Amino acid sequence: MLISSWRGLAHASVSMGLSILCCAAAPSEPSSETPARRVSPSGGRFSIEFPSEPTCDTNPELSDCRYEDPTDGWLLRVSYGKADVEGTPAAYLQLQLDRNAEEGGFEIKRQEPLLVGAFPALDYRFESIDGSTYRSAGRLVLVGAQLVDIEVGGETLPPEAVLQQFVNSLRVEGPSAPPVAPPSVVATPPAVAANPAAESLTPPPPTVASTPPAVASTPPAVVSPTPSPVALATLTLLQSSLLKPGAFQYQSIQEKLPEGVLPWSFTVGTIQRSTARKRDKKRNAFVITDTSSTPAGKVENRYWVDTKTLLPYRWEGRSPGKASMLLELVDGALRGERKGATPAKFDQPVGDKPLLFPGAPLELALTTLPLGQGFTGSLEVLEPEGLDTGKPVTTWEISVPFAGVVSGLGNLKKQIPCFKVELLERTEDKKPRKILLWIENAKVRRVLQMELLVPKEQGEDRTLQMIQLRR
């Protein structure tokens, strides 16, 4: 049947970062005069960057390296041990997190699963339950047969930039065994533990690709727009000069997550996305075509976007079984027809407010906003399922919690200046959906990675798309 929901649309036609770590900023940072130091604990298959020379213990049972800030006393630490995985990687990580919390006298305040390259990981934030003011945040990463524990702790935590740089500087240095997975699970996308729509811990760079992303200690000079705290009329800020014709390929992974425990199923495919400038009747348009290869067959979605306003006005979709959808925005109304298993005709008033279509038009419009760390705004997006219920529009809040240089997105090896863009659905009676995007900070911007998280009430699944081709 034709993709008519956000979950299906994401799998078939949407092109985003994964987890976030957040902690309160402390008043001091490592001196810029002290050179950063990348180390690899004895026997470890990874390295990580400390702000200065750490102290390392070569105990073969639990080798670790740590750095203590001389002013405020916060601690950066990495250790690893042998991982005896029984069951899924997600279940193993959850067990280790629960054990760490219990043994340390902590309460798990927040947690979020993610991928670090091909390796499953779990971000967390602890708070003491014994009246102590000590706090901790970090990441567990399953690297083959080694469990890596990256920890940041103290009565005060380091500045956010320091925390992000440390946690995301992990790099797998040598050949490692792939993550352990049960035979019924596709080995590429590891299982996801806990609720994928759980509240995130706050901004670091993404974690998907063969090399884990890391914040560069000295970012290259790039154009970086001044942060703009915008809450109204967001779509009047779209800059058409930032959108250019081109073609890209994405890998798409969709996970069905019943009860938020083990993936119920995986769907893996590719998406070919092209943007071309064409004359459409009496207006100039960008025609955006997403062609998806899925186990069910070929799915194609094509969108027409006005070159001046960057607002979409027509959508044609086709999927296996001769199902199709045609929608056009005419005089403040969505008009069109759906053919297939559930045929219907539409003439739905939506008013004259700027409206985006989900999928490629939404993602590409976001790339043209004056993004910068601290940017906020809101926009209205077509809700395909709402055409049948008389509620065809949803509102989404936009924020940019991070802007900086990262590596490890898709199959891109080099460091790339990026914006992390978060969209949160505005709802009253249900848990919101969440979209996370990593957008390149360049004269012509690319969506490098997209993640859509759907809560349990709406099907509980997760869609991830990662760019696979260079420009």
Side-chain angles (χ1 to χ4, degrees):
M1 61 179 291
L2 180 72
I3 305 301
S4 61
S5 70
W6 265 87
R7 298 190 300 276
L9 188 62
H11 168 58
S13 65
V14 187
S15 145
M16 160 187 216
L18 288 166
S19 172
I20 354 182
L21 277 175
C22 160
C23 308
S28 69
E29 297 190 24
S31 169
S32 59
E33 299 177 357
T34 305
R37 179 84 166 113
R38 177 168 287 277
V39 301
S40 179
S42 177
R45 292 179 172 178
F46 63 92
S47 67
I48 195 165
E49 187 175 280
F50 286 86
S52 185
E53 186 72 37
T55 300
C56 292
D57 186 348
T58 58
N59 181 348
E61 295 298 321
L62 186 63
S63 181
D64 77 341
C65 291
R66 54 198 173 276
Y67 167 84
E68 184 174 352
D69 180 68
T71 303
D72 292 325
W74 42 260
L75 183 73
L76 306 180
R77 179 176 179 267
V78 65
S79 62
Y80 76 91
K82 183 180 179 182
D84 296 316
V85 181
E86 295 183 2
T88 67
Y92 176 78
L93 288 171
Q94 187 66 52
L95 176 64
Q96 297 303 313
L97 183 66
D98 293 341
R99 182 177 297 167
N100 289 353
E102 181 180 359
E103 292 177 353
F106 291 116
E107 176 185 4
I108 302 173
K109 297 300 292 185
R110 298 175 186 174
Q111 67 180 73
E112 185 171 357
L114 66 154
L115 294 175
V116 174
F119 305 102
L122 188 60
D123 276 356
Y124 64 86
R125 181 175 176 181
F126 289 158
E127 289 188 6
S128 296
I129 57 177
D130 59 1
S132 169
T133 58
Y134 189 91
R135 292 179 297 157
S136 175
R139 175 174 296 167
L140 297 175
V141 188
L142 190 56
V143 181
Q146 294 182 350
L147 175 65
V148 181
D149 188 353
I150 308 169
E151 180 187 359
V152 181
E155 293 189 353
T156 60
L157 293 174
E160 182 178 300
V162 175
L163 187 151
Q164 291 178 16
Q165 180 167 335
F166 178 62
V167 171
N168 290 283
S169 67
L170 180 76
R171 188 167 68 203
V172 177
E173 298 289 0
S176 298
V180 180
S184 60
V185 178
V186 178
T188 301
V192 175
N195 185 353
E199 184 181 5
S200 44
L201 311 184
T202 316
T207 44
V208 200
S210 57
T211 302
V215 180
S217 55
T218 307
V222 294
V223 177
S224 184
T226 302
S228 304
V230 180
L232 300 173
T234 303
L235 294 184
T236 65
L237 303 174
L238 301 179
Q239 304 169 78
S240 59
S241 63
L242 293 174
L243 181 59
K244 301 292 184 182
F248 306 101
Q249 176 174 300
Y250 295 85
Q251 181 184 45
S252 176
I253 300 171
Q254 187 176 35
E255 299 174 352
K256 187 71 176 175
L257 304 167
E259 304 302 325
V261 183
L262 301 177
W264 184 79
S265 65
F266 285 103
T267 304
V268 181
T270 59
I271 296 175
Q272 303 286 341
R273 172 171 296 175
S274 66
T275 303
R277 190 188 294 267
K278 293 186 179 181
R279 184 71 177 173
D280 182 36
K281 297 180 181 178
K282 294 185 178 182
R283 72 166 90 184
N284 293 321
F286 285 116
V287 180
I288 306 167
T289 304
D290 272 7
T291 303
S292 304
S293 298
T294 73
K298 178 180 176 181
V299 178
E300 182 176 276
N301 286 278
R302 183 169 296 175
Y303 311 90
W304 281 257
V305 175
D306 187 276
T307 56
K308 290 184 178 180
T309 65
L310 296 185
L311 297 177
Y313 60 90
R314 186 185 306 137
W315 169 31
E316 291 183 0
R318 299 181 183 278
S319 60
K322 297 183 179 181
S324 65
M325 170 79 89
L326 171 62
L327 277 180
E328 194 158 9
L329 194 55
V330 181
D331 298 328
L334 279 168
R335 297 173 182 169
E337 183 177 9
R338 181 176 63 217
K339 297 180 180 179
T342 56
K345 292 187 176 181
F346 307 105
D347 189 355
Q348 179 70 53
V350 292
D352 56 1
K353 291 182 179 180
L355 180 67
L356 290 175
F357 292 175
L362 170 62
E363 296 170 37
L364 296 182
L366 290 170
T367 68
T368 70
L369 286 170
L371 301 173
Q373 189 162 333
F375 178 95
T376 60
S378 62
L379 47 80
E380 293 190 321
V381 182
L382 168 68
E383 176 62 61
E385 287 185 331
L387 291 168
D388 294 315
T389 62
K391 297 180 179 180
V393 177
T394 56
T395 301
W396 293 72
E397 304 293 342
I398 311 170
S399 64
V400 180
F402 173 83
V405 178
V406 302
S407 61
L409 288 163
N411 65 349
L412 306 181
K413 305 297 183 183
K414 63 181 181 179
Q415 295 177 335
I416 301 177
C418 290
F419 303 108
K420 182 179 177 66
V421 181
E422 298 187 2
L423 284 83
L424 191 66
E425 182 185 20
R426 185 187 295 170
T427 62
E428 294 180 356
D429 56 351
K430 60 182 180 180
K431 289 185 178 180
R433 291 168 292 182
K434 184 176 182 179
I435 302 174
L436 308 173
L437 299 102
W438 287 90
I439 295 175
E440 184 177 18
N441 181 4
K443 291 183 178 179
V444 178
R445 297 175 179 172
R446 297 177 293 175
V447 176
L448 302 178
Q449 186 170 291
M450 184 284 304
E451 183 183 22
L452 168 64
L453 301 173
V454 179
K456 181 177 179 180
E457 291 84 346
Q458 302 179 58
E460 194 164 12
D461 60 18
R462 169 177 176 265
T463 299
L464 176 68
Q465 289 180 195
M466 301 170 286
I467 197 165
Q468 293 297 302
L469 293 181
R470 296 178 183 272
R471 232 185 328 226

